[in-house]
């Protein structure tokens, strides 16, 4: 069974930094991409960053240059380093797996993808 657990988050002043961690287990030898999304109260869920299995990273324009996503494959853990935080970054942050572009079809059959962690709150004060 695939499990995704998230940690980190908290409250900081504008300009501060936080690091979120996301540990994944249960995929065996199958690969996955790691994504972060966020949702602020009253707003729709917003894509933040993605690190694909082959190392390719993608960022939302709103966080480009401030956030960095990385991955430790030995620990099955991904990280979202958030620097120069702004009040508009305040939201609940969720990490979520997704099926990779070059993924094996048997993996898609065998394991669940699009598994989301419980979320962690990030609050940035001005």
């Amino acid at each position: 069974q695939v499990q995704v657990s998230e940690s980190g988050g908290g409250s900081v002043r504008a300009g501060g930094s936080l690091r979120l961690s996301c540990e994944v287990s249960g995929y065996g030898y199958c690969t996955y991409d790691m994504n972060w999304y966020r949702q602020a109260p009253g707003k729709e869920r917003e894509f933040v960053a993605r690190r694909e299995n082959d190392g390719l990273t993608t960022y939302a324009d709103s966080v480009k240059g401030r956030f960095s996503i990385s991955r430790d494959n030995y620990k099955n853990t991904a990280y979202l380093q958030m620097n120069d935080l702004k009040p508009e970054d305040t939201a609940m942050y969720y990490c979520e797996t997704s099926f990779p572009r070059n993924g094996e079809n048997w993996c898609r059959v065998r394991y669940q993808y699009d598994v989301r962690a419980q979320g962690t709150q990030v609050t940035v004060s001005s």
Side-chain angles (χ1 to χ4, degrees):
Q1 181 180 359
V2 174
Q3 294 185 323
V4 183
S5 62
E6 187 172 5
S7 61
S11 297
V12 295
R13 288 188 175 274
S17 297
L18 286 171
R19 188 177 81 158
L20 307 183
S21 300
C22 186
E23 184 174 359
V24 179
S25 64
Y27 279 114
Y29 292 105
C30 290
T31 58
Y32 56 91
D33 293 346
M34 180 57 68
N35 306 272
W36 251 283
Y37 294 89
R38 66 186 182 187
Q39 188 166 20
K43 295 188 177 181
E44 293 188 354
R45 190 173 82 144
E46 175 187 23
F47 169 77
V48 176
R50 173 181 299 116
R51 185 175 178 90
E52 298 185 30
N53 182 62
D54 59 5
L56 182 68
T57 56
T58 307
Y59 298 94
D61 288 342
S62 58
V63 306
K64 209 171 286 186
R66 300 186 297 121
F67 289 16
S68 176
I69 186 170
S70 61
R71 189 161 162 173
D72 184 335
N73 288 325
Y74 290 103
K75 294 182 179 179
N76 291 319
T77 300
Y79 305 95
L80 183 69
Q81 178 66 43
M82 306 183 293
N83 299 326
D84 190 22
L85 282 161
K86 303 177 180 181
E88 51 264 42
D89 294 318
T90 295
M92 185 71 80
Y93 284 70
Y94 301 89
C95 59
E96 183 174 309
T97 64
S98 60
F99 189 71
R101 288 180 294 169
N102 59 354
E104 298 284 344
N105 286 331
W106 72 269
C107 291
R108 185 190 281 276
V109 174
R110 174 67 177 84
Y111 296 108
Q112 182 183 2
Y113 285 84
D114 302 326
V115 180
R116 183 187 302 178
Q118 76 280 10
T120 187
Q121 178 68 36
V122 172
T123 302
V124 185
S125 59
S126 56

